[in-house]
Every structure is written in C-alpha cells, then in structure tokens.
C-alpha cells in the first residue's frame, strides 16, 4: 500500500472503525457509572472520579507495557505481530476486563469494578496504538486527519448511544432511574460487551486490513529528528497536547452530572440525555470535519459541511426519541451548531489552524458556562463537545507527521497520554470541593490555553522539516 494513493481505501477503513465505536461506547458509559457508583458506594465527588482515573490511567500503563515489551524483543511489537493481530489481541484483553464485572457486582466491590474498567482500557490502549496511525495510512496523507476525524465520528456515535443504553440496562427504564440502584444491574450489559469484543476480534482478523501499512517520513535529513520518536519536537509537545485535550474533553462531561444534580436540581435519570448531547456534539463536529475524506469536489464539500452536522444532530434526536425523552429542550442547540460550521470553514482543512480556532472558542464556551446559570450554562458546557470534536485528529496528525518508521512508537507515546482524561477529571473534582462544580471548570480553560499554544508552535516545527499542511491541502484540492 502506498501513501500516494489518491483514494481512501473504504473496504479496509470500514472494518477498522468498529473499534472506534467501542471506545466511545464504553468511555461515555463511564459518565453514567460515576453517579451510580457515587450513590451505591457513598463516595465524594473526587472519589467518584476514580472511575475516570482507573479507566484512563490504563492507557498509560498499556503504553508503558508496549514500550517495555518492544525493548525486550528489540523490535516494535506492532511491527512484529502485524496490525491485524495487534488489534485482535487488544480486543481479547478488553473482553477479559468485562468478565470482572460479574464477580465485582456479586461482591459489591468498588475496587474490583475499577479493576474491570482498568483491564478493558488496557486493551483499548493497544487498539488505539494500532488504529489511529492505520486510519491515517489508509489513503492520501492530505486527507489523513479528515479520515481520523471520520473514525472519531463513528467513535462518537458510540458515545451518543452508550449513556442511553447503559442507563436503560442499569435502571430498567430511564423514567424509573431513582434512588435504589442495585449494583448487580451492571453485570449483564458488560458481559454482552465482552462477547461483542470477541466477535469484532474475529471479524477484523478475517478482514482485508493491511498488516504492515506504508507510513510517511519527514523529507529533511536532520540529526535532531532521527532515531527515537522522542527526538521529534512535534511529538513531545503533542504528548502534552493529547494529555490536556483528553483531560478537558472527559472532565467537562464527567463533572457535568454533579453540576446538574447539585446546582441545578436535576435527578440522575434526567441527566443521561444531556451527557448523550455532549458526546453527540463530538459526533456532530467530527462528521463536519470529515467531509474532505469523501470528496475532492469543493462545491460538494460546501454542501456536506451543512448536511453532515445536522444529520448527526438528527441521529441524536432520533435516539432520544426512541427512549421517549422530551426533545423540546434540544432544538435550540441547532443554532449553536452553525458556529461550529463557520469555525470549520475558517480552518480550511489545516489541522494546526483548526486546533487554534477551536481552542479559542472552547475557552469562550467554558467561560459562558462558568458565569451564567440554568440551561444557558448547561448548553455552554455541552457545546465544549462541539469544539473538542476534531482536536484529537488534529493533534494526532500533527504529532506523528514525519515520524516514518517511528510512527507506531510515537503513537504509543500519544496513547500513553490519554491518562489526562482521568487525571484532569480528578483534579477538577478535587478543585470543585473548594470552588463548587461550576467554577472548577477553570481547569478546562487552562487545558485549552495550552492547545492554542501547541497549534501555534507546531506549525513552525513541521515547516522546518519540510511538512506544510497548507501547501499539501492546496495542492490536493
């Protein structure tokens, strides 16, 4: 396979995105487990964030294991096993984690529940190390970030329906999600998930995915950017960017139930549609950012930029209608989506420019959420999902650009930094015990500020290595 191919390899790309769906489904479902565990185990707000901490710290542990095994074997483990085998192995590890929910529920053990989540995410760590650079490689480099954005859009279809399905599975019916929740009700949903992991592992093993894709290298010979992936400044600064990006994405959602319950008087059962809206916002943004992966035609792209986000919003409304939620509070959100479309058009497909614009708007959204009340603040916080939506593919593409044979190693270092989701969530939960939940969102503003800095800094670094996304994109379109 050559990166010079002018077309996305859809026959290979479509099987790959099934794993992106599962990552989203499980990660967003954690936001429902947090208030359930908080009540069942009588936890403080910062203790309830141990759910996020256990889940996201596993990515770091997984990446460290990956690098340690690669050193012992004196060969990159993904290059040795092949991309398909590595994906299948990751899915089997995740399936083992889901089995722990059964004894954990029977024993009423919070530590065992956390252990199950930890092992599920350990498998995700290996899957992400493989799947992200593979999504970029399945077609031309000019549309690599758009392809990763599209995969992220599938991920966020999982995050949109995950909280609703898990709520329904745990509570029986969302309307009865009340005070006495049996912790044993988490058993069946997670056992079913384990079976699905195994089925997808077999499916991917039999698919036409390449085992050893060709990856792009920097075009300059520079002694400072050879050897270890850590010699590339775009990667090292990108690792911090992934840490704070996943941090603000996850902590905004995982602290939202406590804000809505404590400050605004919502019940746990009423919160699930808003958590779904937050993650649907990620899907809306990613579908918008992915249009260039479908067509080179500029006129078609302009039409799709309006069709794609509202189609994704329609899916959110449809899923919530199936669960008999009142849709009236959500229609106003359609106007906020217009701001996303304008920002996406202003970025002109350049991942660094998109990162800069969206980071600034993210700061504004959080400030509105902090300094207003009622539903205005809720919509402001949920809109953070819109402006986080395309940041992962932007950062990932910028950070691994030019790494060549070091790409899978660099990818594992980036996956390691997903721990930011747990650490930043816990930090915000801890800060909230002094400031209140609403003002604890200052943590998110700090995260976005670093992302704006990275967007500015990395452009110059890549230009010095002969990589110019404006040039590539204008040449490609």
């Amino acid at each position: 396979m050559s990166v010079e191919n002018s077309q996305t390899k859809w026959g290979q790309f479509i099987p790959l995105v099934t794993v992106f769906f599962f990552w989203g489904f499980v990660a967003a479902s954690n936001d429902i487990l947090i208030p359930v565990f908080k009540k069942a185990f009588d936890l403080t707000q910062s203790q309830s964030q141990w759910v996020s901490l256990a889940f996201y710290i596993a990515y770091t542990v997984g990446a460290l294991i990956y690098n340690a095994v690669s050193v012992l074997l004196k060969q990159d483990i993904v290059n040795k096993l092949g991309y398909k085998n590595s994906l299948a192995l990751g899915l089997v590890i995740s399936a083992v984690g889901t089995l722990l929910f059964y004894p954990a529920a029977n024993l009423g053990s919070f530590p065992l529940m956390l252990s199950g989540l930890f092992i599920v995410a350990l498998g995700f760590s290996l899957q992400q190390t493989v799947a992200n650079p593979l999504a970029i490689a399945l077609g031309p480099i000019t549309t690599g970030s758009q392809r990763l954005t599209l995969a992220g859009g599938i991920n966020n279809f999982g995050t949109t329906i995950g909280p609703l399905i898990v709520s329904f599975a745990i509570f029986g019916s969302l309307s009865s999600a009340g005070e006495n929740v049996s912790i044993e009700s988490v058993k069946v949903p997670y056992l079913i998930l384990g079976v699905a992991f195994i089925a997808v592992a077999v499916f991917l093993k039999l698919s036409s995915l390449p085992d050893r894709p060709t990856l792009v290298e920097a075009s300059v010979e520079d002694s400072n950017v050879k050897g270890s992936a850590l010699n590339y400044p775009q990667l090292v600064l990108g690792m911090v960017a992934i840490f704070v990006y996943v941090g603000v994405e996850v902590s905004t959602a995982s602290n939202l139930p406590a804000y809505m319950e404590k400050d605004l008087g919502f019940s746990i059962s009423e919160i699930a549609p808003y958590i779904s809206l937050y993650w649907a916002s990620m899907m809306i943004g990613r579908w918008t950012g992915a249009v260039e992966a479908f067509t080179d035609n500029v006129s078609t792209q302009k039409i799709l930029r309006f069709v794609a986000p509202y189609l994704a919003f329609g899916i959110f409304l449809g899923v919530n209608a199936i669960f008999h939620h009142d849709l009236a509070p959500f229609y106003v959100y359609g106007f906020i989506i217009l701001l996303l479309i304008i920002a996406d058009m202003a970025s002109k497909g350049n991942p660094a420019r998109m990162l800069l614009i969206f980071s600034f708007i993210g700061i504004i959204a959080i400030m509105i959420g902090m300094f207003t009340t009622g539903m205005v603040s809720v919509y402001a916080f949920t809109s953070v999902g819109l402006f986080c939506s395309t940041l992962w593919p932007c950062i990932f593409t910028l950070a691994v650009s030019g790494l060549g044979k070091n790409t899978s190693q660099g990818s594992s270092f980036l996956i390691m930094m997903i721990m930011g989701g747990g650490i930043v969530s816990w930090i915000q939960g801890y800060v909230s015990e002094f400031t209140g939940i609403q003002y604890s969102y200052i943590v998110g503003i700090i995260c976005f500020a670093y992302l704006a800095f990275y967007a500015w800094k990395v452009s110059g670094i890549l230009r010095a290595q002969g990589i110019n996304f404006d040039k590539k994109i204008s040449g490609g379109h």
Side-chain angles (χ1 to χ4, degrees):
M1 190 194 77
S2 167
V3 292
E4 302 304 321
N5 287 326
S6 61
Q7 294 291 320
T8 294
K9 294 180 172 290
W10 294 109
Q12 297 172 352
F13 183 78
I14 291 167
L16 178 65
V17 297
T18 54
V19 292
F20 284 80
F21 172 84
F22 281 122
W23 304 338
F25 187 100
V26 176
S29 299
N30 290 345
D31 295 332
I32 299 302
L33 292 182
I34 287 169
V36 170
F37 287 173
K38 185 179 179 184
K39 192 169 195 66
F41 298 115
D42 194 24
L43 307 172
T44 66
Q45 180 62 15
S46 59
Q47 286 172 334
S48 72
Q49 295 302 317
W50 290 353
V51 171
S52 294
L53 196 59
F55 186 78
Y56 289 100
I57 208 79
Y59 283 95
T60 303
V61 174
L64 289 171
I65 292 171
Y66 172 93
N67 282 290
V69 172
S70 296
V71 168
L72 287 172
L73 296 176
K74 296 182 179 175
Q75 185 181 357
D76 185 282
I77 194 169
V78 170
N79 291 341
K80 184 175 177 65
L81 292 176
Y83 275 57
K84 278 204 289 193
N85 287 337
S86 300
L87 273 176
L89 176 61
L91 283 157
V92 170
I93 293 168
S94 293
V96 170
T98 62
L99 295 177
L100 275 184
F101 276 80
Y102 200 86
N106 286 340
L107 296 169
S109 169
F110 185 49
L112 207 52
M113 288 280 185
L114 295 180
S115 300
L117 276 175
F118 179 87
I119 294 170
V120 169
L122 207 58
F124 285 1
S125 175
L126 179 56
Q127 293 166 44
Q128 291 233 27
T129 298
V130 176
N132 283 285
L134 190 53
I136 295 170
L138 293 178
I141 185 64
T142 51
T143 54
S145 69
Q146 283 84 6
R147 219 160 18 257
L148 199 51
T149 300
L150 178 59
I154 304 301
N155 171 282
N156 289 118
F157 178 60
T159 59
T160 301
I161 67 174
L164 300 172
I165 291 175
V166 171
S167 286
F168 186 80
I170 290 174
F171 298 128
S173 73
L174 288 168
S175 60
S176 68
E179 305 309 309
N180 300 310
V181 179
S182 169
I183 209 68
E184 292 198 18
S185 58
V186 304
K187 286 193 294 193
V188 173
Y190 282 86
L191 286 176
I192 293 171
L193 198 59
V195 173
F197 286 150
I198 298 295
V200 173
V202 173
F203 170 63
L204 290 177
K205 180 67 180 155
L206 299 174
S207 75
S208 64
L209 277 172
D211 255 346
R212 286 166 176 82
T214 305
L215 301 156
V216 73
E217 289 206 53
S219 62
V220 294
E221 291 296 327
D222 185 340
S223 61
N224 292 324
V225 291
K226 296 295 171 186
S228 166
L230 290 174
N231 289 334
Y232 293 78
Q234 65 264 42
L235 177 73
V236 176
L237 293 171
M239 287 166 66
V240 181
I242 288 287
F243 181 93
V244 298
Y245 156 69
V246 181
V248 68
E249 176 197 288
V250 173
S251 64
T252 300
S254 64
N255 285 283
L256 189 58
Y259 169 62
M260 293 179 69
E261 194 179 358
K262 200 172 177 182
D263 293 18
L264 303 181
F266 282 74
S267 68
I268 294 177
S269 60
E270 294 171 322
I271 292 168
Y274 293 92
I275 294 299
S276 173
L277 176 61
Y278 178 83
W279 294 109
S281 296
M282 301 283 290
M283 176 172 70
I284 291 163
R286 285 174 175 172
W287 286 24
T288 308
V291 296
E292 289 182 35
F294 287 102
T295 177
D296 287 342
N297 187 291
V298 176
S299 300
T300 308
Q301 285 177 9
K302 285 178 180 174
I303 296 166
L304 286 176
R305 274 202 171 88
F306 284 90
V307 172
Y310 286 106
L311 179 62
F313 186 47
I315 289 172
F316 160 77
L317 293 173
V319 170
N320 277 274
I322 290 168
F323 284 92
H324 305 295
H325 294 143
D326 178 15
L327 301 184
F330 302 118
Y331 295 136
V332 69
Y333 208 69
F335 294 103
I336 302 174
I337 293 169
L338 276 175
L339 178 59
L340 167 82
I341 295 168
I342 294 165
D344 179 71
M345 292 171 74
S347 73
K348 298 178 182 175
N350 181 313
R353 189 181 295 117
M354 182 175 281
L355 182 57
L356 185 66
I357 293 170
F358 279 38
S359 296
F360 275 121
I361 301 175
I363 290 171
I364 294 166
I366 290 182
M367 288 181 72
I368 293 170
M370 286 172 66
F371 298 109
T372 59
T373 55
M375 291 310 298
V376 173
S377 65
V378 172
Y379 289 133
F381 287 138
T382 52
S383 75
V384 171
L386 290 174
F387 306 112
C388 277
S389 57
T390 58
L391 301 194
W392 170 277
C394 289
I395 298 164
F396 209 97
T397 302
L398 293 165
V400 301
S401 288
L403 268 63
K405 67 181 184 299
N406 294 306
T407 298
S408 60
Q409 184 192 39
S411 175
S412 78
F413 285 133
L414 291 171
I415 301 308
M416 185 188 300
M417 304 312 286
I418 290 177
M419 66 178 172
I423 293 173
V424 174
S425 293
W426 176 81
I427 289 171
Q428 186 178 340
Y430 184 73
V431 169
S432 75
E433 290 169 16
F434 300 93
T435 63
I437 298 284
Q438 191 172 16
Y439 294 117
S440 71
Y441 277 91
I442 185 69
V443 173
I445 290 178
I446 295 167
C447 292
F448 274 127
Y450 177 82
L451 293 175
F453 162 76
Y454 178 66
W456 166 75
K457 183 73 174 172
V458 76
S459 299
I461 291 169
L462 291 176
R463 271 197 301 272
Q465 295 176 23
I467 299 167
N468 187 330
F469 279 91
D470 274 328
K471 184 180 173 186
K472 284 174 183 283
I473 286 166
S474 61
H477 300 293

